[in-house]
Amino acid sequence: MKTMTQILTRRAAALCISVLTAWVGIAHAADPDADPRSTRGERHLACLQAPMLTALEVPAPPDGSPRLLRARLTFTAGDVEPTVEWLWKDAPGAVAPLEQQLRGYRIPCFEPGGGPQLVVQEFWVTPGTGKLEVGQVWPTVSAGQPSSCYVRLETNFEASRPLPKIAKALVYFRFVEGREAPVMEVAYHVGPPAFLHSVRSQIETYRRCPDGRTTSSWHQQLFTHLPDTAGQPTFKPMEFRAFLSKVKDAEKLRAHFDLSTMRCPFQVRWTMYQPALPNEAVAMGEMDDNRKVFLGWLGSLRLDLPASTEAVTFGESMTITVPCLLINLQPQR
């Protein structure tokens, strides 16, 4: 196990109470009856029907090294063929047969009303043998997807009573018909019940936006309480290879990425939501779907931390510097 001092630094807290908000004004679940812990894209992928080849006939180049193909698919309905856009195609001879397979993908549980669903997938094909390595499908978003909003009547959050330890709560809330204040569900909570009561009271002050843009979708918000004597826990910035050395079961990792096809080097904001939810990796700066599969994989990794450290660092972010590398990780025997 890695200790807190190996991975974390501490900075003085400017306020006793801080409120950290993720995706304020943007709803992440289009289906109000769905589990708020899953996004629309994740629910779509859960039912994705994706027939796939295991080998292709591709002429062998002189070096015979695997070749990368990266595709972005756009779905507009559950029974409609997706459009296919190639973001990277280093093996032109494999494009036609692969695209034929990709056009056979379907999302039978497609949720209407949320705009198109975009996904990205990578493939590695070995010329000569035609061996095909099929990567995981990851959802992405389009610029025109709808959002929702809310307003806060009380802008300052205060715990109902002084608390001696750090307390945190990650909650989801949404507005339902016939109710002025939103309903709330708790995704993660550490600390006394009094803190959660204060969070619930704060959420009760939220209201719909007056311009009609509020929907019944779920919103997410993180609340953090820091005692006067506590410093704000924060992660050190890390280089990518140093980050991998802190990952749980690093010797079991399997990954194949060519970072030179992703406008490297670049920086990633990696936010820890373990053990309650998957962690999150977002590239800093302009969005580029060439990085989507790599970022999805990076967010799926968990740090090797004791439960006590997870409670303190839940919701905290670090900056990871990603260099130009060819990554081919295989589980160690």
Side-chain angles (χ1 to χ4, degrees), residues 83-134:
T83 58
V84 179
E85 177 187 0
W86 291 98
L87 302 178
W88 195 271
K89 46 184 180 182
D90 201 21
V95 169
L98 259 182
E99 185 164 326
Q100 182 179 1
Q101 294 294 315
L102 292 173
R103 292 187 185 279
Y105 282 22
R106 294 294 185 271
I107 300 179
C109 63
F110 187 90
E111 300 172 10
Q117 175 64 64
L118 280 66
V119 304
V120 180
Q121 188 174 20
E122 291 188 353
F123 307 89
W124 288 89
V125 59
T126 302
T129 66
K131 179 182 177 182
L132 187 66
E133 180 183 328
V134 181

Side-chain angles (χ1 to χ4, degrees), residues 234-253:
T234 183
F235 291 106
K236 293 179 179 179
M238 286 192 185
E239 194 270 344
F240 171 70
R241 283 165 288 202
F243 171 81
L244 285 186
S245 70
K246 312 295 185 184
V247 168
K248 184 178 178 64
D249 297 328
E251 71 281 358
K252 300 179 182 179
L253 293 179

Side-chain angles (χ1 to χ4, degrees), residues 173-252:
F173 62 92
R174 68 183 180 96
F175 294 89
V176 298
E177 187 176 353
R179 180 181 166 90
E180 188 177 36
V183 296
M184 186 186 91
E185 290 193 19
V186 180
Y188 178 82
H189 169 232
V190 58
F195 177 72
L196 194 57
H197 175 77
S198 298
V199 170
R200 193 176 298 275
S201 297
Q202 175 74 8
I203 295 294
E204 286 284 333
T205 70
Y206 293 1
R207 296 293 183 268
R208 294 173 173 84
C209 289
D211 58 9
R213 289 186 296 121
T214 303
T215 71
S216 58
S217 300
W218 291 99
H219 298 262
Q220 174 181 308
Q221 188 168 1
L222 174 66
F223 292 83
T224 299
H225 162 75
L226 299 174
D228 290 328
T229 57
Q232 170 75 43
T234 183
F235 291 106
K236 293 179 179 179
M238 286 192 185
E239 194 270 344
F240 171 70
R241 283 165 288 202
F243 171 81
L244 285 186
S245 70
K246 312 295 185 184
V247 168
K248 184 178 178 64
D249 297 328
E251 71 281 358
K252 300 179 182 179

Side-chain angles (χ1 to χ4, degrees), residues 264-276:
C264 59
F266 56 95
Q267 291 188 317
V268 173
R269 185 179 70 251
W270 190 93
T271 304
M272 197 190 83
Y273 292 118
Q274 68 184 67

Side-chain angles (χ1 to χ4, degrees), residues 296-307:
W297 172 79
L298 196 61
S300 72
L301 304 180
R302 294 169 63 104
L303 292 180
D304 191 3
L305 298 173

Side-chain angles (χ1 to χ4, degrees), residues 273-284:
Y273 292 118
Q274 68 184 67
L277 298 167
N279 300 314
E280 181 181 72
V282 179
M284 301 169 69

